[in-house]
Amino acid sequence: MPGKLTTHVLDITIGRPAVGMRIDLFRSVGARRTLLRSVKTNSDGRLDEPLLADGRLKRGDYVLLFHVGAYFSARRSPDARRFLDRVPVAFRVADAARHYHVPLLVSPWAYSTYRGS
């Protein structure tokens, strides 16, 4: 069974999903990054479909770029873009048959991520 890549974003300033956040997915090979997808989160802070599935997830290095500054600016947060603008999460897929879930918990000042299930 082929693996897949998913994500979700939680806005910890309001304790709710981050709706409408842009996320770019890149594949990294050495110093070169190739944009694979650009998506926005839905009303649940998730995507309507996996970022990669159906055999498109390959072993290698990836970067998820979360556009948090634009998200907080759209929410009219007084601290938008004062500290965090874009949050890159670089990770490696070692087994393309597995599910990689890479969520982001974020505020205008801090973030956390982990490999979920």
Side-chain angles (χ1 to χ4, degrees), residues 33-76:
R33 283 188 185 173
T34 302
L35 179 65
L36 300 179
R37 297 201 55 198
S38 186
V39 296
K40 284 196 175 184
T41 57
N42 62 22
S43 62
D44 196 30
R46 297 177 183 273
L47 306 177
D48 293 330
E49 61 184 30
L51 281 159
L52 294 174
D54 302 323
R56 292 179 293 146
L57 181 64
K58 307 289 184 200
R59 288 181 53 163
D61 298 324
Y62 294 87
V63 176
L64 284 169
L65 186 64
F66 296 87
H67 293 259
V68 300
Y71 164 79
F72 285 111
S73 288
R75 287 195 55 243
R76 304 208 189 298

Side-chain angles (χ1 to χ4, degrees), residues 10-18 106:
L10 295 176
D11 178 341
I12 60 174
T13 62
I14 57 174
R16 294 195 180 115
V106 69

Side-chain angles (χ1 to χ4, degrees), residues 45-114:
R46 297 177 183 273
L47 306 177
D48 293 330
E49 61 184 30
L51 281 159
L52 294 174
D54 302 323
R56 292 179 293 146
L57 181 64
K58 307 289 184 200
R59 288 181 53 163
D61 298 324
Y62 294 87
V63 176
L64 284 169
L65 186 64
F66 296 87
H67 293 259
V68 300
Y71 164 79
F72 285 111
S73 288
R75 287 195 55 243
R76 304 208 189 298
S77 171
D79 294 301
R81 294 188 187 266
R82 290 190 183 167
F83 186 62
L84 294 177
D85 184 28
R86 288 168 290 174
V87 173
V89 177
F91 61 97
R92 177 167 289 150
V93 170
D95 182 354
R98 307 275 318 246
H99 179 189
Y100 287 77
H101 183 67
V102 185
L104 185 74
L105 310 174
V106 69
S107 79
W109 319 278
Y111 67 91
S112 178
T113 189
Y114 56 94

Side-chain angles (χ1 to χ4, degrees), residues 18-31:
V19 178
M21 184 180 292
R22 179 178 157 195
I23 304 167
D24 296 328
L25 171 64
F26 295 89
R27 176 87 190 262
S28 295
V29 178

